[in-house]
Amino acid sequence: MKSSVKVLLLKKAEKIIAKYKDHPMTEITGTLLPVIINEKLNGYLKEVARYVGVKKNIAFHMSRHTIDSKVILSNGIPIETVSKLLDYSKISPT
């Protein structure tokens, strides 16, 4: 069963979503932003990491852990909300 979560967005995030509102890919996929495959996304992440001097081997899956532990939880968002945002069915993976 899917549940809804209300999230307050920064103005910058709202502008990005508005920018892609009528993008052909978002209309096809029914998503807020164009979706790319993980392999391509991981390639982009590695490119950014090299550009900024990060020597770690990074991948998209790591970003989920970073967003929940470093950004969301450290800003006082309840763990139950984080679990829903990350689409976990239980709190334990969070």
Side-chain angles (χ1 to χ4, degrees), residues 32-63:
L32 289 175
L33 301 171
V35 178
I36 60 175
I37 61 172
N38 274 353
E39 183 179 354
K40 194 71 171 163
L41 179 59
N42 287 334
Y44 290 145
L45 286 173
K46 288 175 189 347
E47 188 176 328
V48 170
R50 276 193 304 275
Y51 182 78
V52 298
V54 172
K55 307 251 187 273
K56 229 176 172 181
N57 186 18
I58 63 170
F60 175 72
H61 186 74
M62 292 174 64
S63 67

Side-chain angles (χ1 to χ4, degrees), residues 2 10 22 29 33-34 39 47-49 55 61-62 70 72 74 86 90:
K2 294 276 183 178
L10 299 172
D22 297 319
T29 60
L33 301 171
E39 183 179 354
E47 188 176 328
V48 170
K55 307 251 187 273
H61 186 74
M62 292 174 64
K70 304 288 188 222
I72 301 175
S74 65
L86 296 174
K90 300 177 185 173

Side-chain angles (χ1 to χ4, degrees), residues 26-27 33 40 60 65 69:
T26 61
E27 292 182 3
L33 301 171
K40 194 71 171 163
F60 175 72
H65 296 293
S69 64

